[in-house]
Amino acid sequence: MMHNKYSVILSVVGSCCDRYLSTGYSDPFTLPELFDRVASIDHVTGVELVGNWHITTDNVSFIKENMQRTNLKMVAIIPDHFGKMEWGKGAFSSKDHAIRRKAIEHTKEMMDAVVELGGDLVSLWPGQDGYDYLFQGDYIEERNWIEEGVRECCQYRKDVKVALEYKIKEPRTHSYIGTVAQSLLMVQKIDSKNCGVTIDFGHALEGGENVAESVAILKKYGDKLFHVHMNDNYRSWDDDMIAGSVHTLEFIEFLYWLKRTGYQGWLSMDQYPYREDGKEAASESIKWLQAFTSIVDRMKDSEINQLFEKGNANEINRYMRERMFGK
Amino acid sequence: MMHNKYSVILSVVGSCCDRYLSTGYSDPFTLPELFDRVASIDHVTGVELVGNWHITTDNVSFIKENMQRTNLKMVAIIPDHFGKMEWGKGAFSSKDHAIRRKAIEHTKEMMDAVVELGGDLVSLWPGQDGYDYLFQGDYIEERNWIEEGVRECCQYRKDVKVALEYKIKEPRTHSYIGTVAQSLLMVQKIDSKNCGVTIDFGHALEGGENVAESVAILKKYGDKLFHVHMNDNYRSWDDDMIAGSVHTLEFIEFLYWLKRTGYQGWLSMDQYPYREDGKEAASESIKWLQAFTSIVDRMKDSEINQLFEKGNANEINRYMRERMFGK
Amino acid sequence: MMHNKYSVILSVVGSCCDRYLSTGYSDPFTLPELFDRVASIDHVTGVELVGNWHITTDNVSFIKENMQRTNLKMVAIIPDHFGKMEWGKGAFSSKDHAIRRKAIEHTKEMMDAVVELGGDLVSLWPGQDGYDYLFQGDYIEERNWIEEGVRECCQYRKDVKVALEYKIKEPRTHSYIGTVAQSLLMVQKIDSKNCGVTIDFGHALEGGENVAESVAILKKYGDKLFHVHMNDNYRSWDDDMIAGSVHTLEFIEFLYWLKRTGYQGWLSMDQYPYREDGKEAASESIKWLQAFTSIVDRMKDSEINQLFEKGNANEINRYMRERMFGK
Amino acid sequence: MMHNKYSVILSVVGSCCDRYLSTGYSDPFTLPELFDRVASIDHVTGVELVGNWHITTDNVSFIKENMQRTNLKMVAIIPDHFGKMEWGKGAFSSKDHAIRRKAIEHTKEMMDAVVELGGDLVSLWPGQDGYDYLFQGDYIEERNWIEEGVRECCQYRKDVKVALEYKIKEPRTHSYIGTVAQSLLMVQKIDSKNCGVTIDFGHALEGGENVAESVAILKKYGDKLFHVHMNDNYRSWDDDMIAGSVHTLEFIEFLYWLKRTGYQGWLSMDQYPYREDGKEAASESIKWLQAFTSIVDRMKDSEINQLFEKGNANEINRYMRERMFGK
């Protein structure tokens, strides 16, 4: 039996905006309301925060109060490397040395904050670190800067895990930390035990990955899967939809490989429910994941190993269909 | 209750080749063996043939014998506009007038043959009609040629339906009959009651369509869905895999819209099981389709209409999940 | 010689935001500043406005003053069907009848405004009209609503052209007016002489179209190309980059087909220069377009017709390369 | 000044087939004719061969004669791991141990052959090593097998470079050696000085890579670019078209980064000119590459470094346009 731990990123239950409707698709909530909304979702025991959007060095105790009131565990902080004008052209790989320093300092502050709040993980998503136009960046040096910056953060506190969250594009047309394998090359270069990778299910899909295989690759090259973000999309963009609302077999295979590789971390909902109530949208994700998990629970490793040994597509389809819908 | 009629294209149960292994991934079967293999698949009552590959003006009576022996109904013939060297640069839109004439003549012959064999439908897939390079074709005139040629075929025998099977690319990098809406523009121009469209599920996916919506569009603009080919793929290429092996919700929505729009035709398996036994691969497709159909049977139009009226994504996800996996 | 008329959408020279940085990548400009910035770009003689963002029924005379001061011609207004919370779930196809009425009324107001300002075109981009999740909408009825609404607008004033700007996705994961051929099906159904289509170069690319071919298709099925928006992207998303910064041959072929089909309208810059100065970014687009136009000017129709007649890819490549870079 | 060395894969100048027209789009040539055709192309000084298609252990001296007659240098052999029925379900990662052994033995034979013919490189493209269906393979173990097999080959002869040619899909829907970063993870694990990577320009595009960046990544993580295949496509499939026939800026940036990173190897044409004369199609590729190279020759490293330092998109566009088309 898989025993999943579910958490929700605080912004999921808030109001979402996009470039056409920058003032938001619905009215905003206060921070305490967001905590209450997360806590009210069945099966959710943890919460994940975004730097600046939710947490700064100034409001840690206020956050702590909210966590205590709602009895939510600190899953992770995502430091802000994307949501202020100063990050607009990059954070860890900014061409401006002072900005690169700020990216590191903010990360360290969030590492301190996460420990203060009972957690041990920051998930770095340097979304502005990349480029839009050909000939816009030195692909070697700018990657070196990211590796140096992240290494400094990793060495700052060995008791905090630093996970790189890869994404192929957006907000830049090209991200430097784009795929699972690129992330691993960086992690190997950074060479710090507390450095690993966050899989965002939708980012992996958008990058053309089979997400279950990405789990396997992280296992094979150093056991580096540190954290997981859940959502869904149509494969060409990070639509951040309800997990399970588009894909089915991909989620089943993904959960199976989480189990097979012994993943012990959280499944954290990371969605943009522009036109839906976010509380329910997170709840729907969890219910899909539970449905898929119960299918995985009907699969024995010995059976799967036999499927792998033969690789017979017809047998695989029969096996999967019967686990999903019975004979 | 939906009552699907299942058929199989003869080549599905044979040997497949590709550009790297042109001699085939397995040993070939004789024509009678192919018929026997199709007939042995549970729930299959019809067969579809490809011009030149299986049927020519010379072997119609031999085909008839095989159909009688195996008790299979004639579902459709796909005239050959793609598999001989003379079609290499186009059939209906060939720059060579003599080739264009041949494309029309072969189509008429196959229309005669299909009637002779008890059928009433040809499915045209002019796969070589398109272009590879920019500036290679006159996009207007070459489309005119297709419309004129197909119109002539339609007028040749009003008792035979002529369905255009669209596909966005392959073997050309760009096809002239690429999408459902492009097909409809042509059908309207051809302006013959017996002219309609074949949806190949995988072609529609590859072209970025939501296939259920393509069914709706064909209903809306003239009730023009004449035939359906079933298979599956990963959305970027016509992988011709087992139907249901990749997508789930898309098939359920597709089948629902077939029911909603009153489709009365066949579901014909059109796969390339390169590395699998084709007989079993077709059988697996049908079993997935049956599983999906039984889910559709649990949906009432009144419930779906209510979902449509509100458009609430959270309700929709709950409804779908419960129909698929129970509460 | 092609004589292009260049215009710029007012927002191009302002500050851009996205879902991560909703307060903008740079500081905002006032409306008069935006007009001055557009007017200062070489070769620009027209301006295009967005409803609510720039123009409402209340500020028409203020806009008029700015146009007179800057000597810019009124190219088009894009009514707002996407940028207010009330449009969040659709405008012309909203499930709420009152919203559908508002979409029509706002369009009519903008049609009056455009005439008041000396123009004769509105470009409709109903970006919220579509769906995100499967089973979320009635694909037939909601399309009917769009056609009815647009038809009412077209009949309101025959002296104003109403152009549908198609886009495959964003802000919805699926748009109802998604492709050039879907637009034409709607235009034919709406059946009003003043109803046509806007090609946004990047939207067409994102939708998998060869944009030159889209021009040809609009010519063939009713001569319906009414307006053009220029930008560029990497084919998978509407990146709204400098036109010419990614694609080369595609722009040349596009401009050639504009010439071949006798397009007389504007080339209007429609970009999101998040991290660049928008004035210069629009200027760069125009300079690329001029470079491409001078290449088109070196091509004779008789030569192109000969290339079409033979379709020889090697000859085509030689011809194009020599026109671009000499022998 | 860049001094490119051009070669051609022998099959480029022959007859091509696909899954619909398996007997070929044109009549075949004899092996000596293929050599003559390659040798007759301007600027070509080397030839690349495919195992079994052109070279076996039995015809090495015959190949040698042809090379001497035509005065072509041995650039590389691509061992056959894709073109015989026995490789249909994988070579280095076949589930059958005996097939895995054969894949290794054939590679060693081709390593011997390439030395015998004066070369020092084999380019491995294990196109059948991957999977089609979810749950079809053990993503960890099967990758281990590839690494073990290739390591054994590398250790067999240190005087022969072994380059992994990655490709995201085809003939499998998913390849194990799919991207540049995945290749590097494998190369690092194989840990042999003579193990590196082949970039096929079109494979990289198809995999969503910016090819210039892939060159940079190979430089950064071990200086591992060993070989280059040239062709072009529309980004979604390995169309194997004339290099330069679709992309422009991407080739320029790619060639610039080859220069910047000091690449000394060959540019080998790898195309499938289904409907064109292959000799001319290879020649057209080379002429495009020469045109792009002359543009690169107009760029100074100091200027490019300045563009990198500022990252100003408007300046970059101006700079590129002027190098391409003058002021």
Side-chain angles (χ1 to χ4, degrees):
Chain A
M1 290 275 292
M2 289 187 75
H3 296 285
N4 300 333
K5 296 186 293 180
Y6 297 106
S7 65
V8 176
I9 301 183
L10 212 51
S11 52
V12 173
V13 299
S15 166
C16 299
C17 72
D18 62 26
R19 61 174 173 153
Y20 304 114
L21 189 32
S22 58
T23 49
Y25 280 79
S26 57
D27 293 320
F29 295 91
T30 65
L31 210 51
E33 284 172 336
L34 293 176
F35 272 95
D36 288 338
R37 283 166 64 77
V38 167
S40 73
I41 304 170
D42 274 357
H43 308 291
V44 171
T45 54
V47 68
E48 185 165 344
L49 308 177
V50 179
N52 287 329
W53 291 9
H54 311 124
I55 185 166
T56 66
T57 50
D58 293 337
N59 77 343
V60 176
S61 61
F62 179 64
I63 293 287
K64 202 176 221 170
E65 284 166 34
N66 277 282
M67 291 181 60
Q68 284 168 344
R69 176 174 48 79
T70 54
N71 201 24
L72 290 166
K73 291 199 187 101
M74 172 47 52
V75 170
I77 294 176
I78 302 165
D80 174 19
H81 299 118
F82 45 82
K84 291 171 71 180
M85 212 188 278
E86 62 186 3
W87 308 128
K89 295 182 180 176
F92 286 105
S93 71
S94 170
K95 291 153 193 301
D96 178 344
H97 180 262
I99 301 285
R100 298 203 296 273
R101 286 309 318 160
K102 276 196 191 179
I104 295 167
E105 293 317 316
H106 174 65
T107 307
K108 290 179 179 175
E109 288 167 4
M110 291 299 104
M111 292 172 80
D112 291 341
V114 87
V115 171
E116 172 74 20
L117 292 164
D120 68 349
L121 175 79
V122 292
S123 188
L124 304 190
W125 177 59
Q128 304 284 5
D129 288 296
Y131 59 97
D132 300 315
Y133 289 87
L134 302 189
F135 282 101
Q136 198 168 20
D138 182 330
Y139 306 130
I140 293 179
E141 185 165 48
E142 297 183 9
R143 275 193 169 76
N144 289 340
W145 289 337
I146 295 175
E147 289 166 356
E148 288 163 18
V150 175
R151 187 184 300 117
E152 181 178 333
C153 297
C154 289
Q155 289 169 348
Y156 172 66
R157 289 191 74 136
K158 300 278 179 145
D159 58 339
V160 176
K161 282 176 279 187
V162 177
L164 302 179
E165 181 175 347
Y166 62 93
K167 185 181 182 185
I168 198 76
K169 59 172 174 253
E170 197 215 8
R172 307 308 294 261
T173 66
H174 297 75
S175 311
Y176 281 136
I177 312 183
T179 65
V180 68
Q182 282 179 19
S183 307
L184 273 167
L185 289 173
M186 284 195 164
V187 166
Q188 292 182 357
K189 207 74 172 180
I190 290 166
D191 193 26
S192 191
K193 217 178 153 182
N194 58 334
C195 189
V197 175
T198 295
I199 285 183
D200 179 291
F201 194 87
H203 293 185
L205 283 179
E206 184 193 8
E209 298 179 12
N210 174 9
V211 201
E213 190 177 5
S214 305
V215 172
I217 286 173
L218 286 169
K219 185 70 182 182
K220 172 169 164 51
Y221 295 102
D223 202 8
K224 286 297 187 185
L225 178 58
F226 281 12
H227 192 44
V228 166
H229 284 170
M230 300 306 304
N231 51 65
D232 210 345
N233 66 44
Y234 292 98
R235 289 185 183 252
S236 64
W237 187 253
D238 185 30
D239 300 311
D240 279 328
M241 299 165 75
I242 294 167
S245 65
V246 182
H247 290 87
T248 305
L249 288 158
E250 287 83 353
F251 275 102
I252 295 170
E253 198 196 19
F254 171 74
L255 289 166
Y256 172 73
W257 273 92
L258 285 186
K259 188 174 87 167
R260 187 175 175 99
T261 56
Y263 176 70
Q264 300 293 326
W266 293 82
L267 300 182
S268 201
M269 305 307 119
D270 182 1
Q271 309 169 225
Y272 265 73
Y274 299 97
R275 299 170 187 83
E276 296 85 45
D277 177 75
K279 208 184 84 159
E280 286 182 50
S283 175
E284 285 305 312
S285 287
I286 290 167
K287 284 176 184 160
W288 277 116
L289 292 172
Q290 290 178 317
F292 299 145
T293 298
S294 78
I295 292 166
V296 171
D297 284 333
R298 282 170 234 150
M299 300 176 175
K300 293 185 195 152
D301 273 357
S302 58
E303 293 166 346
I304 299 295
N305 287 341
Q306 240 177 334
L307 294 178
F308 287 171
E309 264 170 51
K310 298 173 70 181
N312 181 314
N314 295 318
E315 288 179 14
I316 294 163
N317 274 272
R318 186 154 48 247
Y319 179 86
M320 292 305 302
R321 192 179 53 252
E322 289 177 4
R323 291 305 165 289
M324 290 168 69
F325 301 121
K327 299 204 188 199
Chain B
M1 290 277 291
M2 289 187 75
H3 296 284
N4 300 332
K5 295 186 292 179
Y6 297 107
S7 65
V8 176
I9 301 183
L10 212 51
S11 52
V12 173
V13 299
S15 167
C16 299
C17 71
D18 62 26
R19 61 174 172 151
Y20 304 115
L21 189 32
S22 58
T23 49
Y25 280 79
S26 57
D27 294 320
F29 295 91
T30 65
L31 210 51
E33 284 171 337
L34 293 176
F35 271 95
D36 288 338
R37 282 166 63 78
V38 166
S40 73
I41 303 171
D42 274 357
H43 308 291
V44 172
T45 54
V47 68
E48 186 164 345
L49 307 178
V50 180
N52 286 330
W53 292 8
H54 311 124
I55 185 167
T56 66
T57 49
D58 293 337
N59 77 344
V60 175
S61 61
F62 180 63
I63 293 288
K64 202 176 218 167
E65 284 167 34
N66 276 283
M67 292 181 61
Q68 285 168 343
R69 176 174 48 78
T70 54
N71 201 24
L72 289 166
K73 289 196 187 102
M74 171 48 51
V75 171
I77 293 176
I78 302 165
D80 175 18
H81 299 118
F82 45 82
K84 290 171 71 180
M85 212 189 277
E86 62 186 2
W87 309 128
K89 295 182 181 178
F92 285 104
S93 71
S94 169
K95 291 154 193 301
D96 178 345
H97 180 262
I99 301 285
R100 298 203 297 275
R101 286 308 319 159
K102 277 197 190 178
I104 295 168
E105 294 315 316
H106 174 65
T107 307
K108 290 178 179 174
E109 287 166 4
M110 291 299 105
M111 291 171 80
D112 291 340
V114 86
V115 172
E116 172 75 19
L117 293 164
D120 68 350
L121 175 79
V122 292
S123 188
L124 304 192
W125 176 60
Q128 304 284 5
D129 287 298
Y131 58 98
D132 300 314
Y133 290 87
L134 302 189
F135 282 102
Q136 198 167 20
D138 183 330
Y139 306 130
I140 294 179
E141 184 165 48
E142 298 183 9
R143 273 191 171 76
N144 288 341
W145 289 337
I146 295 175
E147 290 166 356
E148 288 162 17
V150 175
R151 187 184 300 115
E152 181 177 334
C153 297
C154 289
Q155 290 168 346
Y156 173 65
R157 290 191 73 133
K158 300 278 179 143
D159 58 341
V160 176
K161 283 177 280 187
V162 177
L164 301 179
E165 181 175 347
Y166 63 93
K167 185 180 181 185
I168 197 76
K169 59 173 173 253
E170 197 215 9
R172 308 308 295 259
T173 67
H174 298 74
S175 311
Y176 281 135
I177 312 182
T179 65
V180 68
Q182 282 179 19
S183 307
L184 274 166
L185 289 173
M186 284 195 166
V187 166
Q188 292 182 357
K189 208 75 172 180
I190 290 165
D191 192 27
S192 192
K193 218 179 154 183
N194 58 334
C195 189
V197 175
T198 295
I199 286 185
D200 179 290
F201 194 87
H203 294 185
L205 284 178
E206 184 192 10
E209 298 179 10
N210 174 10
V211 200
E213 190 176 6
S214 305
V215 172
I217 287 173
L218 286 169
K219 185 70 183 181
K220 173 170 164 50
Y221 295 102
D223 202 7
K224 285 297 188 185
L225 178 58
F226 281 12
H227 191 44
V228 166
H229 284 171
M230 300 306 304
N231 52 64
D232 209 344
N233 66 45
Y234 292 98
R235 288 185 184 255
S236 63
W237 188 252
D238 185 30
D239 299 311
D240 279 328
M241 299 165 75
I242 295 166
S245 64
V246 182
H247 290 86
T248 305
L249 287 158
E250 286 83 352
F251 276 101
I252 295 169
E253 198 196 20
F254 171 74
L255 289 165
Y256 172 73
W257 273 91
L258 286 186
K259 189 174 87 166
R260 188 175 176 99
T261 57
Y263 177 69
Q264 300 292 326
W266 294 81
L267 302 181
S268 200
M269 305 307 120
D270 182 0
Q271 310 170 224
Y272 265 73
Y274 300 97
R275 299 170 187 83
E276 296 85 45
D277 177 75
K279 208 184 86 161
E280 287 182 48
S283 175
E284 286 304 312
S285 287
I286 291 167
K287 284 176 183 160
W288 278 115
L289 292 172
Q290 289 179 317
F292 299 145
T293 298
S294 79
I295 292 166
V296 171
D297 282 335
R298 280 170 235 150
M299 300 176 174
K300 293 184 194 154
D301 273 357
S302 59
E303 294 165 346
I304 299 295
N305 287 340
Q306 239 177 335
L307 293 179
F308 287 170
E309 264 169 51
K310 298 173 71 180
N312 182 313
N314 295 317
E315 287 179 15
I316 293 162
N317 274 272
R318 185 155 50 248
Y319 179 85
M320 292 304 302
R321 193 179 52 251
E322 289 176 4
R323 290 306 164 290
M324 291 168 68
F325 301 121
K327 299 207 186 197
Chain C
M1 290 276 291
M2 290 187 75
H3 296 285
N4 301 331
K5 295 186 292 179
Y6 297 107
S7 66
V8 176
I9 301 183
L10 212 50
S11 52
V12 172
V13 300
S15 166
C16 299
C17 72
D18 62 26
R19 61 174 173 151
Y20 304 114
L21 189 32
S22 57
T23 49
Y25 280 79
S26 57
D27 293 320
F29 295 91
T30 64
L31 210 50
E33 284 173 336
L34 293 176
F35 272 95
D36 288 339
R37 283 166 64 78
V38 166
S40 73
I41 303 170
D42 273 358
H43 308 290
V44 172
T45 54
V47 68
E48 185 165 345
L49 307 177
V50 180
N52 287 328
W53 291 9
H54 311 124
I55 184 167
T56 66
T57 49
D58 292 337
N59 76 344
V60 176
S61 60
F62 180 63
I63 293 287
K64 202 177 218 168
E65 284 167 33
N66 276 283
M67 290 180 61
Q68 285 168 345
R69 176 174 47 80
T70 54
N71 202 23
L72 289 166
K73 291 200 186 101
M74 171 48 51
V75 171
I77 294 177
I78 302 165
D80 175 18
H81 298 117
F82 44 82
K84 290 172 71 181
M85 211 188 278
E86 62 186 3
W87 309 128
K89 295 182 181 177
F92 286 105
S93 71
S94 170
K95 291 152 192 303
D96 179 344
H97 179 261
I99 300 286
R100 298 203 296 274
R101 286 307 320 159
K102 277 196 190 179
I104 295 167
E105 293 316 317
H106 174 65
T107 307
K108 290 179 180 175
E109 287 166 5
M110 292 298 106
M111 292 171 80
D112 290 341
V114 86
V115 171
E116 172 73 19
L117 293 163
D120 67 351
L121 175 79
V122 293
S123 188
L124 304 190
W125 176 61
Q128 305 284 4
D129 286 298
Y131 59 96
D132 300 314
Y133 289 88
L134 302 189
F135 282 103
Q136 197 167 22
D138 183 330
Y139 307 129
I140 293 179
E141 183 164 49
E142 298 183 8
R143 273 192 171 75
N144 288 342
W145 289 337
I146 295 175
E147 290 166 356
E148 289 162 17
V150 175
R151 187 184 299 117
E152 181 176 335
C153 297
C154 288
Q155 290 169 345
Y156 173 65
R157 289 190 75 133
K158 300 278 180 144
D159 58 339
V160 176
K161 283 177 277 187
V162 177
L164 302 179
E165 180 175 348
Y166 62 93
K167 185 180 181 185
I168 198 75
K169 59 174 174 252
E170 196 212 10
R172 308 308 294 261
T173 66
H174 297 74
S175 311
Y176 282 136
I177 312 182
T179 65
V180 68
Q182 283 179 19
S183 308
L184 273 167
L185 289 172
M186 284 195 165
V187 166
Q188 293 182 355
K189 208 74 173 180
I190 290 164
D191 192 25
S192 192
K193 217 179 154 183
N194 58 334
C195 189
V197 175
T198 295
I199 285 184
D200 179 290
F201 194 88
H203 293 185
L205 283 179
E206 183 192 8
E209 298 178 11
N210 173 11
V211 199
E213 190 177 6
S214 305
V215 172
I217 287 173
L218 286 169
K219 186 69 182 182
K220 172 170 164 52
Y221 295 103
D223 201 7
K224 286 297 188 185
L225 179 58
F226 280 12
H227 192 43
V228 167
H229 283 169
M230 300 305 304
N231 52 66
D232 209 344
N233 66 46
Y234 293 99
R235 289 186 183 254
S236 64
W237 188 252
D238 184 30
D239 300 311
D240 278 328
M241 300 164 75
I242 294 167
S245 64
V246 182
H247 290 86
T248 305
L249 287 158
E250 287 83 353
F251 275 102
I252 295 170
E253 198 196 19
F254 170 75
L255 290 165
Y256 171 73
W257 273 90
L258 286 186
K259 188 174 86 168
R260 187 175 175 100
T261 57
Y263 176 70
Q264 299 293 326
W266 294 81
L267 301 181
S268 200
M269 305 306 120
D270 182 359
Q271 309 170 225
Y272 264 73
Y274 300 98
R275 299 169 186 83
E276 297 84 46
D277 177 74
K279 208 185 84 161
E280 286 181 50
S283 174
E284 286 305 313
S285 288
I286 291 166
K287 285 176 184 159
W288 277 116
L289 292 172
Q290 289 178 316
F292 300 145
T293 298
S294 79
I295 292 166
V296 172
D297 283 334
R298 281 170 234 151
M299 300 176 173
K300 294 186 195 151
D301 273 357
S302 58
E303 293 165 347
I304 298 295
N305 287 341
Q306 238 178 335
L307 293 179
F308 287 171
E309 264 169 51
K310 298 173 70 179
N312 182 314
N314 295 317
E315 287 179 15
I316 294 161
N317 273 271
R318 187 156 47 247
Y319 180 85
M320 292 305 302
R321 192 179 52 252
E322 289 176 3
R323 290 305 164 290
M324 290 167 69
F325 301 121
K327 299 209 185 192
Chain D
M1 290 277 291
M2 289 188 76
H3 296 284
N4 301 331
K5 295 186 293 180
Y6 298 106
S7 65
V8 176
I9 301 183
L10 212 51
S11 51
V12 172
V13 298
S15 166
C16 298
C17 72
D18 62 26
R19 61 174 172 151
Y20 304 115
L21 189 33
S22 58
T23 49
Y25 280 78
S26 57
D27 294 320
F29 295 91
T30 65
L31 210 50
E33 284 172 336
L34 293 176
F35 272 94
D36 288 339
R37 282 165 65 78
V38 167
S40 73
I41 303 170
D42 274 357
H43 309 290
V44 172
T45 54
V47 68
E48 185 165 344
L49 307 177
V50 179
N52 288 329
W53 291 9
H54 311 125
I55 185 167
T56 65
T57 50
D58 293 337
N59 76 344
V60 176
S61 60
F62 180 63
I63 293 288
K64 202 176 220 168
E65 285 167 33
N66 276 283
M67 291 180 62
Q68 284 167 345
R69 177 173 47 80
T70 54
N71 202 24
L72 290 165
K73 290 199 187 102
M74 171 48 51
V75 171
I77 294 176
I78 302 165
D80 174 19
H81 299 118
F82 45 81
K84 291 171 68 179
M85 212 188 277
E86 62 186 2
W87 309 127
K89 294 181 180 177
F92 285 105
S93 71
S94 169
K95 290 153 192 302
D96 179 344
H97 180 262
I99 300 286
R100 298 203 296 274
R101 286 307 320 159
K102 277 197 190 178
I104 295 168
E105 293 317 316
H106 174 65
T107 307
K108 290 179 180 175
E109 288 166 4
M110 292 298 105
M111 291 171 80
D112 291 340
V114 86
V115 172
E116 172 74 18
L117 293 164
D120 68 350
L121 175 79
V122 293
S123 188
L124 304 190
W125 178 59
Q128 304 282 7
D129 287 297
Y131 59 96
D132 300 313
Y133 289 87
L134 302 189
F135 282 102
Q136 197 168 20
D138 183 331
Y139 306 130
I140 293 179
E141 185 164 49
E142 297 183 8
R143 273 191 171 75
N144 288 341
W145 289 337
I146 295 175
E147 290 166 356
E148 288 163 17
V150 175
R151 188 183 299 115
E152 182 177 333
C153 297
C154 289
Q155 290 170 346
Y156 172 66
R157 289 191 75 135
K158 300 277 180 145
D159 59 340
V160 176
K161 282 177 278 186
V162 177
L164 302 178
E165 181 175 347
Y166 62 92
K167 184 180 180 184
I168 198 75
K169 58 173 173 253
E170 198 214 8
R172 309 308 295 258
T173 66
H174 297 75
S175 311
Y176 281 135
I177 312 183
T179 64
V180 68
Q182 283 179 20
S183 307
L184 273 167
L185 289 172
M186 284 196 165
V187 166
Q188 293 182 357
K189 208 74 172 182
I190 290 165
D191 193 26
S192 192
K193 219 179 152 184
N194 58 333
C195 188
V197 175
T198 295
I199 286 184
D200 179 290
F201 194 88
H203 294 184
L205 283 179
E206 184 192 9
E209 299 179 10
N210 173 9
V211 200
E213 191 177 6
S214 305
V215 172
I217 287 173
L218 286 169
K219 185 69 181 181
K220 173 171 163 50
Y221 296 102
D223 202 7
K224 285 297 188 185
L225 179 56
F226 281 13
H227 191 44
V228 167
H229 284 170
M230 300 306 303
N231 52 66
D232 209 344
N233 66 45
Y234 291 100
R235 290 185 182 253
S236 64
W237 188 253
D238 185 30
D239 299 312
D240 279 327
M241 299 165 76
I242 294 166
S245 65
V246 182
H247 290 86
T248 305
L249 287 158
E250 287 82 353
F251 275 101
I252 295 169
E253 199 197 19
F254 171 74
L255 289 165
Y256 172 73
W257 273 91
L258 286 186
K259 188 174 87 165
R260 188 175 175 99
T261 57
Y263 176 69
Q264 299 293 326
W266 294 81
L267 300 181
S268 200
M269 305 307 119
D270 182 1
Q271 309 169 224
Y272 265 73
Y274 299 99
R275 300 170 187 81
E276 296 86 44
D277 177 73
K279 209 184 83 159
E280 286 181 51
S283 174
E284 285 306 312
S285 287
I286 290 166
K287 284 176 184 159
W288 277 115
L289 292 171
Q290 289 179 319
F292 299 145
T293 297
S294 79
I295 292 165
V296 171
D297 283 334
R298 280 170 236 150
M299 300 176 174
K300 294 186 193 151
D301 273 357
S302 58
E303 293 165 347
I304 299 294
N305 287 340
Q306 240 179 333
L307 294 178
F308 287 171
E309 263 168 51
K310 298 173 70 180
N312 182 315
N314 295 319
E315 287 180 15
I316 293 161
N317 273 271
R318 186 155 48 246
Y319 180 86
M320 292 305 302
R321 191 178 53 252
E322 289 177 4
R323 291 305 164 290
M324 290 167 68
F325 300 120
K327 299 208 186 194

